[in-house]
Amino acid sequence: VQGPATQEPTVDTPRGRTWQRVCGLGDFGDSSTLVVQVGHRSIGLVRLGDSVHAMLNQCPHQGAPLFKGALPNGTMLPSEPDELLYGLDGSVIRCPLHGWEFDVTSGAALFGICNKRVVTYPVEVREGEVYLLIAQREA
Amino acid sequence: VDCDVHPGLRDGIRPLLPYMTDPWRERLATLAPQVECLGAPLDDIVENRLASGPVVLVPQLRINSWSDALQASAVAAAANDYFIAEWLPADERIKLALLLPPQAPHHAVEEIEKHGSHPQVAAVLLPLLSSLLGEHAYYPLFAAAEKAELPVMIHPTGAEGLYAGAPALAGGYNFTANERRVLMPQLAQATLNSLILQGVFERFSRLRIVFSGFGVGWLPPLLWRMDMDWRRLRIETPWVKKPPSEYAFDRVWMTVDRPEADGLAARTKFAPRLHGRTLYGSHYDGRPAAVGANGSVAEHPTVAGSAADAFRPGLALPEPG
């Protein structure tokens, strides 16, 4: 789902950054994603219940859009030989280009596949509205 | 240490017949002279190959070309008994890689349990079949080798790509031995790929593998590709808990018979971590053309691996005196 670009007024401005409303919580369902445009940034949102995580919609590997058609997935956890353990359900973003997996809560690549991470943004949900803390120059 | 010297038998494997049971001696009496075990005779090795240190005997018997697992087991057992009884007493610097019948892992385990603690047994030699070493059938064998603190040595026998039972080479059947020889590193690649991705090194945390006769140039491109694909397909083998190359840098050694064999690998990004993974193995088989006859290659800085790491402690002793 492509969310609306917004020009909402900011809520406060801590240290050169600003809270900016990007969408309503009701704009996307539980365990789904939404891509919003903030300035020149494409940012992916993941909703897990009433909480929302936000990360740059760009894989740190080769720059592919992480959220292109993506649902949050789980993945196979490190396990003993011949054993499959599924976990982290709903909190894994898998790049559509090369399959690299990232934790949506931290942006970190999972299980040591690389030492890169996806840029993440603090999120707050206030009265049903979703706000990201972003640099003022990006707002 | 010269980790790869081929002991030769005269008259096929007739010298092994006294080490077989009566039925097997009877059954193989006609076949024995036709079964080659090519290499150098004992007196040649004693006179010419011990000056620079111990040698590891790697018997070149093509038992992986046989469909009869019992026959392979009988010949491997006789070969081990024969070399231990008739070659190892000649000099304590002569070590043996125990020949295992890959078709019969339970018999292979028996060989390890029978001879594994012999102070001159340095490794187990596992000829390759068309089933990859990541398969469960081999696990008892790996467990026994690990318990005995013996590395598993992989060395082509010459049956590969030629006889059914032995592994095929990719692409199809080749006309000549030369063509097969060029392609042998494929087998090292397929074998290591299977060992790592099937989690063998996770199951057997002290298992060591020595690839001998394949060179070393095959390894960097394999590891680069394995690491790349692990990042995207880790979910298929989640028991591979770190980049595949990490297992190789920790558990795998390769023999080289000339320093330039290391040259290709030295120009890759893996070079710093490959340093120390190469051991000297001359492939000496009695022919005077063998490289490094005086151990000069073994002292080359690019052949920096320590046989004491790859093999059981004590193998490299005593020093020549």
Side-chain angles (χ1 to χ4, degrees), chain B residues 4 11 25 64 101 116 124-125 132 135 150 161 193 195 276 287 301-302 308:
Chain B
D4 189 358
D11 207 10
R25 193 179 304 130
N64 55 339
V124 297
L125 176 64
L132 290 162
E135 293 191 11
L150 296 172
N193 191 46
L195 285 169
R287 287 178 288 187
T302 64

Side-chain angles (χ1 to χ4, degrees), chain A residues 75-83 94 98 100-101 111 113, chain B residues 136 198-199 202-203 230-232 234-236 238-239 241 243:
Chain A
T75 190
M76 298 299 169
L77 308 177
S79 61
E80 294 307 303
D82 290 351
E83 185 181 52
R94 187 173 166 83
H98 294 113
W100 291 24
E101 292 179 325
F111 310 126
I113 58 170
Chain B
H136 279 245
Q198 286 305 307
E202 286 286 342
R203 287 177 194 272
W230 176 75
R231 293 189 184 100
R232 79 191 295 177
R234 184 200 61 80
I235 55 173
E236 290 195 334
W239 43 83
K241 294 173 183 157

Side-chain angles (χ1 to χ4, degrees), chain B residues 199-221:
Chain B
V200 170
F201 293 118
E202 286 286 342
R203 287 177 194 272
F204 303 101
S205 59
R206 291 178 294 117
L207 182 67
R208 292 165 292 172
I209 302 286
V210 177
F211 286 97
S212 192
F214 300 99
V216 64
W218 57 273
L219 187 63

